[in-house]
């Protein structure tokens, strides 16, 4: 009797399992959207994600990296937002999404999307052409104190995380945050090309963007906005703290999807990204690109976004780059 009951129960369990809907998986080409032109750190992140998801066979459909530069990221944000409920569109997210909404250049913010996962943290460096007379962070500070408009700084969008880094430096040395001279490009690679061509004097960029040019001898990093020095070709570049300026500055890289995804759809992408970022090859690439391992799933990432938005608004208001919210 006990065996018969057990067999009957197993049969019922099998029927119930069969009746449940299958877990979601993508059914067509997936677009990984980047709010910058090819060549920069965001584009490189997208191509790393595409490569690992494909190489590890975590996704069985084609993945395509799509660059949508312009509008301070707003063009890419609007494009992905137009595909609400469609999990075949992914956006490489950065703090620029928060900044654009806070300063009013985009109507969209993190609540208009489905946060999937934060992948890693990315520290910034201050770099000049190798032939520049600016030999150190101290040289840069001296020039900025005397005449901040005398140094043309290149930025990848109209207002980005890079701008916040420049503003924080100006504030740290007693100048107004808005006094720096900015030259805007469509992407980091264009800004770097302008620096190497002698058209601008300084770029503030993620460390991985600068390292190949430093290795070639064409670029020099005069200050690192990280808690400690990097290794490899950037080992000789001192931190801002070493040079008497308390400036530590970084930005996260993440994957965000359109609003309205089901739990199964969001869970699929979080699971795939978690497995991809756990691979030894991914860890090696983090080190190669000077990225700091900082994976967070959707639940924690959403909480982090709430905190980051409030903190970023506070900083931007203090720096005079955003209006104080109405009481």
């Amino acid at each position: 009797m006990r065996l018969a009951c057990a067999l009957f129960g197993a049969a019922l369990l099998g029927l119930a399992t069969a009746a449940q809907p299958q877990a979601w998986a993508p059914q067509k080409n997936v677009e990984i959207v980047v709010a910058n032109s090819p060549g920069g750190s965001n584009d490189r992140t997208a191509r790393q994600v595409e490569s690992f998801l494909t190489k590890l066979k975590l996704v069985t459909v084609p993945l395509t990296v799509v660059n949508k530069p312009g509008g301070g990221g707003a063009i890419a944000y609007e494009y992905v937002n137009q595909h609400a409920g469609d999990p075949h569109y992914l956006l490489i997210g950065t703090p620029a999404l928060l900044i654009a909404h806070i300063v009013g250049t985009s109507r969209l913010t993190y609540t208009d999307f489905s946060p999937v996962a934060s992948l890693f943290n990315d520290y910034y460096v201050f770099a000049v052409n190798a032939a520049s007379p600016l030999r150190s962070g101290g040289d840069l500070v001296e020039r900025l104190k005397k005449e901040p408009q005398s140094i043309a700084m290149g930025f990848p969008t109209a207002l980005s995380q890079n701008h916040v880094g420049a503003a924080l430096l100006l504030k740290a040395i007693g100048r107004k945050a808005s006094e720096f001279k900015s030259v805007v490009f469509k992407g980091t690679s264009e800004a770097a090309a302008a620096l190497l061509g002698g058209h601008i004097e300084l770029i503030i960029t993620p460390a991985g963007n600068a390292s190949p040019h430093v290795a070639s001898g064409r670029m020099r990093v005069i200050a690192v906005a990280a808690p400690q020095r990097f290794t490899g070709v950037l080992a000789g570049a001192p931190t801002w703290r070493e040079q008497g300026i308390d400036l530590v500055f970084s930005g996260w890289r993440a994957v965000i999807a359109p609003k309205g995804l089901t739990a199964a759809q969001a869970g699929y992408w979080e699971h795939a990204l978690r497995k991809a970022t756990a691979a030894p090859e991914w860890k090696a690439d983090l080190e190669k690109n000077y990225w700091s391992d900082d994976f967070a799933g959707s639940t924690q990432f959403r909480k982090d976004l709430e905190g980051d938005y409030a903190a970023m608004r506070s900083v931007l208001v203090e720096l005079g780059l955003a209006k104080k919210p109405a009481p």
Side-chain angles (χ1 to χ4, degrees), residues 232-274:
V233 298
L234 300 183
T239 67
W240 272 118
R241 284 178 172 174
E242 289 180 75
Q243 302 179 81
I245 304 294
D246 188 15
L247 179 59
V248 174
F249 187 65
S250 65
W252 38 262
R253 296 290 184 277
V255 172
I256 296 172
K259 194 171 185 178
L261 265 62
T262 66
Q265 292 166 343
Y268 173 90
W269 286 120
E270 179 181 341
H271 175 73
L273 290 167
R274 189 180 293 276

Side-chain angles (χ1 to χ4, degrees), residues 99 103 124-126 140-141 144-145 148-149 151 153-155 158-182 202-205 225 240 245-249 312-322:
I99 294 171
V103 302
Y124 284 72
V125 300
F126 290 63
L140 173 61
V141 168
L144 290 174
K145 282 184 175 180
Q149 288 289 315
I151 296 181
M153 304 184 190
F155 298 96
L159 184 58
S160 64
Q161 184 85 337
N162 311 53
H163 284 82
V164 175
L168 288 173
L169 176 60
L170 267 292
K171 180 173 181 281
I173 65 175
R175 300 293 311 206
K176 291 183 180 179
S178 58
E179 288 185 319
F180 60 86
K181 181 180 180 180
S182 63
L202 178 77
I203 60 171
I204 302 170
T205 186
W240 272 118
I245 304 294
D246 188 15
L247 179 59
V248 174
F249 187 65
M312 188 67 73
R313 175 178 281 282
S314 177
V315 169
L316 290 170
V317 168
E318 182 182 356
L319 298 177
L321 300 175

Side-chain angles (χ1 to χ4, degrees), residues 56-231:
L56 298 176
K57 298 181 179 179
L58 297 170
V59 178
T60 57
V61 299
L63 297 104
T64 305
V65 175
V66 178
N67 297 88
K68 295 281 184 180
I75 293 176
Y77 307 152
E78 290 285 353
Y79 177 73
V80 175
N81 184 254
Q82 290 170 3
H83 298 281
D86 191 338
H88 296 89
Y89 294 85
L90 302 175
L91 171 70
I92 298 300
T94 73
L97 174 64
L98 311 183
I99 294 171
H101 183 260
I102 292 170
V103 302
T105 57
S106 173
R107 68 182 183 88
L108 302 173
T109 186
Y110 70 95
T111 55
D112 295 300
F113 298 90
S114 298
V116 175
S118 177
L119 304 177
F120 57 84
N121 211 13
D122 203 1
Y123 287 101
Y124 284 72
V125 300
F126 290 63
V128 297
N129 189 301
S132 171
L134 298 174
R135 308 297 301 180
S136 68
D139 291 343
L140 173 61
V141 168
E142 184 178 353
R143 283 271 301 276
L144 290 174
K145 282 184 175 180
K146 289 181 179 178
E147 183 50 63
Q149 288 289 315
S150 69
I151 296 181
M153 304 184 190
F155 298 96
T157 59
L159 184 58
S160 64
Q161 184 85 337
N162 311 53
H163 284 82
V164 175
L168 288 173
L169 176 60
L170 267 292
K171 180 173 181 281
I173 65 175
R175 300 293 311 206
K176 291 183 180 179
S178 58
E179 288 185 319
F180 60 86
K181 181 180 180 180
S182 63
V183 181
V184 177
F185 298 89
K186 289 183 179 180
T188 302
S189 58
E190 290 188 12
L195 179 75
L196 297 175
H199 305 295
I200 56 176
E201 284 195 80
L202 178 77
I203 60 171
I204 302 170
T205 186
N209 288 346
S211 60
H213 302 297
V214 172
S216 71
R218 302 179 65 198
M219 188 181 291
R220 183 172 64 254
V221 171
I222 59 175
V224 173
Q228 58 190 20
R229 290 197 185 201
F230 291 116
T231 57

